[in-house]
Amino acid sequence: TIWPSCFTYFNNKKIKITESTANDIKNDKKTGQVFLDESGNLNLATNDNKSIILKKVHLEGKNETDIKDFLRGYHDFQKATLK
């Protein structure tokens, strides 16, 4: 769990990342880019060419949810670039 929580915006709504783990494997993605890694984990690229594996999120106005359940309702999140 990230403490204090970290947040960004998706489709003009605040989204908190409430659970994640570090992924130290280097990648060539832009900071903020959401992508699937080779293991099928959903990652968010960080500014050091690494990423965090997203596990739970809390979209403004919704309940906290597991990332797999979140993707069922927000398919476009998987290819988003967050700011």
Side-chain angles (χ1 to χ4, degrees):
T1 302
I2 298 174
W3 180 255
S5 65
C6 142
F7 70 91
T8 185
Y9 291 90
F10 171 66
N11 289 345
N12 297 318
K13 290 189 175 184
K14 184 189 264 188
I15 185 168
K16 288 184 183 179
I17 299 168
T18 56
E19 188 175 332
S20 66
T21 57
N23 185 348
D24 292 329
I25 298 171
K26 294 275 187 183
N27 67 70
D28 61 353
K29 308 297 184 193
K30 289 183 178 180
T31 301
Q33 187 174 352
V34 179
F35 66 96
L36 287 174
D37 65 20
E38 294 173 0
S39 300
N41 296 312
L42 194 68
N43 285 254
L44 176 61
T46 59
N47 63 359
D48 58 358
N49 293 330
K50 295 183 183 177
S51 63
I52 57 173
I53 298 171
L54 301 175
K55 297 194 178 254
K56 288 186 179 182
V57 294
H58 183 187
L59 185 64
E60 179 181 3
K62 302 287 183 180
N63 293 325
E64 178 185 49
T65 186
D66 178 90
I67 196 65
K68 291 181 183 187
D69 291 334
F70 181 78
L71 287 175
R72 286 188 192 111
Y74 298 93
H75 304 282
D76 55 337
F77 184 76
Q78 188 170 303
K79 296 182 180 176
T81 299
L82 307 176
K83 298 181 180 191

